[in-house]
Amino acid sequence: MKVVKFGGSSLASGAQVEKVYHIIAADPERKIVVVSAPGKRYSDDIKVTDLLIGCAEKYLKGQDAHQLVEAILSRYESIAQELHLSNEVIRKISDDLLTLLSGDKSNPASFIEAVKASGEDNNAKLIAAALKHKGLDAHYVSPKEAGLLVSNDPGNARVLSQSYERLYELRNRPGITVFPGFFGYNTNGDVVTFSRSGSDITGSILANGVKAELYENFTDVDAVHAVNPNIVHHPKEIRELTYREMRELSYGGFSVFHDEALIPAFRAGIPVNVKNTNNPEAPGTRIVSARKNTDGPVVGIASDDKFCSIYVGKYLMNREIGFGRKILLILEEFGLSFEHIPSGIDDMTVIVRQNQMEEKVEKKIMQRIMADLDADEVRVEHDLALIMLVGEGMRQKVGTMARASRALADAKINIEMINQGSSETSMMFSVKEAVERKAVQALYHEFFAEVRV
Amino acid sequence: MKVVKFGGSSLASGAQVEKVYHIIAADPERKIVVVSAPGKRYSDDIKVTDLLIGCAEKYLKGQDAHQLVEAILSRYESIAQELHLSNEVIRKISDDLLTLLSGDKSNPASFIEAVKASGEDNNAKLIAAALKHKGLDAHYVSPKEAGLLVSNDPGNARVLSQSYERLYELRNRPGITVFPGFFGYNTNGDVVTFSRSGSDITGSILANGVKAELYENFTDVDAVHAVNPNIVHHPKEIRELTYREMRELSYGGFSVFHDEALIPAFRAGIPVNVKNTNNPEAPGTRIVSARKNTDGPVVGIASDDKFCSIYVGKYLMNREIGFGRKILLILEEFGLSFEHIPSGIDDMTVIVRQNQMEEKVEKKIMQRIMADLDADEVRVEHDLALIMLVGEGMRQKVGTMARASRALADAKINIEMINQGSSETSMMFSVKEAVERKAVQALYHEFFAEVRV
């Protein structure tokens, strides 16, 4: 049994859904289908989820939203028309959406959650109808009915472990189950969504729940690339990488596959195959527990910007037990999570994502550290990029750091920071944002020279 | 006015004290002399301080200690005899020591502190008498009389800031002040010692207190070497380095100058000159606020062993605000201070000095981290060495990391960890203890090739 997930662009039009049908029909093991909401048909298009968020906000403010509602429904309608579906499913979707929008708004956050999630939910109904119309024995199943329980963190839900046992029952359903991605239900029965692009997470949870042999994740690229194609033209495609490598790459700015979505599949040891709806013949990228290292120490290079560093210096800091902990406590009180903590003898630097710190907060944090810890110096540096070299083979291979740092030096790039050693599959370099592209290109050239364009 | 400090080996015998006399007599600015207790005369010799500790412990247990007392007094006596001093000072030292040993033992820790410190205290009396005998106007001054107040941390005292104003009065004393190193008094009037080799600290505090133009630190080497001479034969001597560079080098295993002793001199901007009692003509090493970089990015390479790393892995650790802080809190509860905290996405490693963790403590810490933080994996790796490349010029110079990591790679040395970026004057590498020497030699060869032996 395979769990197959289709992203928004794979479901944006009737023509796309046609491709989805052929993919599902081609393999009887593809028994569980997880769908996103209809995505963009062209680059200026608006995703249904974004329309829904706008719509929910207007409803909450008591503003007229009929144009948005029409825009949303017309997306489903145009797909249904393209595929010559009966009106029945569109009527159902329309009724469900209008009922939802005119329903209880006493908890605005909860209302927005439910409206947001309806994009996937209604699309699952539509896709089930489309597959049925094409002759497949497909059925919509709601996450509530299936027992997908999640924590009550709107926009950031986590699956509750008791879900897995219930989800196992999906195995016993006849035909093809079409399941909406992106959300589950809290123990009160309210909709709670995962983070954006969370349909990947649903697919992974279901793959774990039913103990699938494979989790196929269909998107609109042939494979995961070794580096961001906006930085290096036509980069190498990755055939196979480990869960750990994929997790490090997605953390470092790779958006092909959702950062957290790997965990449930990893826990159950289920391989993930990232494939292209528009080119299903391409082998795609397989994410597995272990792989043979045949092609160099580095499998991919990820980079992300908008980091900043908080430097704290104090003489004899090293002798003060608890100093580091107190800095982290202050950040925690301001709700900040940190990325890395390089340290010297008498100083410590905490790297955080810049979007967590408004100017005011930054000032307050600096004052608190200065006052509470009697620091000699506190300063914040902005506009840093983090670059991750990722590969299981790096640790065994002496000389990877030498190659990487030589490549950066030859490109005249100053390394602001290096963090290497805790993770066995990555090395982190920090450089100024202004030289991020140049740095990634230099590293790519060093480790993937033979395929350089 | 200069403050001059002489270490234990510079005061181990009458012949050595003769040299000390000539050094002091050669420069009328050498008005304040800080002395250690008599050190080793030959490599198997026992330092007076160690004899005193043994003696105090025997007294506390009510055991016979007369042999130790005799051994201690005979050290002072032999110096006095060599220099033909009158018996008066030896009688005074003998009386003071015996009074101390037969005194109040209600607080054993306090008793040990006072006995330990008597090594320096009595030696200051002896040296004052010796200098007087030679015709200099020298006077013993006790830290109590001078107002050297310290925190009540036995064996780890810190100077209290109010001391400085009082110590300034030492400027107004006639002649040469001979001052015992290693200890001060808490606000209750009890002796409290600095950490071992703390006479360097006393000298630095006095230099700050009297606003000396120079702090001369006389020891038994011509200069600070760029690397440990036990690892590289005849290494380069360092002529000049900054406080910061010296602090990083002493932290990383350089024992020439006490780790903390720089701070008071640094705060007052007083240059420190490390010189050789046995070769006072040699220029020694000057430690200053700023220096011109003329001789490459690296000024010295330090290394130290007996570190271990505590690795903690947990999926999605990155999303848990407070995770890092909680690990540090657990270590703090066990009284551990940490050195570095390299991190990955889902893991964090804390490097600590191994001597802080007995096997039992290690087990308990691992259990606590596992239980309190619900970690997926906790493991401890032992026998790590840290190597510090130190130099103010490193940050400006692109390519230092490339050279260092290439040198290690060519020597087939695997880098366990790199921490670079918080301190602007050092880069930290961690390697297995077994390859520490080889790694240091490789780095020395890379950065100091022209002087290789």
Side-chain angles (χ1 to χ4, degrees), chain B residues 228 231 249 252-254 301-305 385-388 436 440:
Chain B
N228 185 343
I231 297 181
L249 286 172
F254 269 46
I301 303 168
S303 67
D304 207 0
D305 54 11
L386 296 191
I387 301 174
M388 313 262 291
E436 175 188 356
V440 171

Side-chain angles (χ1 to χ4, degrees), chain A residues 156 247 251 260 266 315 319 325 332 340 343 345-347 349 395 402 405 416 418-422, chain B residues 156 247 251 260 266 315 319 325 332 340 343 345-347 349 395 402 405 416 418-422:
Chain A
N156 214 7
R247 167 118 173 94
Y251 164 81
E260 295 164 45
F266 163 79
Y315 267 107
R319 268 183 63 174
R325 199 239 331 143
E332 200 177 325
H340 298 282
S343 56
I345 300 175
D346 290 337
D347 48 55
T349 300
R395 281 277 283 191
S405 51
E416 303 294 319
I418 296 179
N419 190 352
Q420 185 243 309
S422 189
Chain B
N156 214 5
R247 168 118 173 91
Y251 164 82
E260 295 164 45
F266 164 77
Y315 268 106
R319 268 183 61 174
R325 200 240 329 146
E332 201 178 322
H340 298 282
S343 57
I345 300 177
D346 289 337
D347 48 56
T349 300
R395 279 279 281 192
S405 50
E416 303 294 319
I418 295 179
N419 191 350
Q420 185 243 308
S422 190

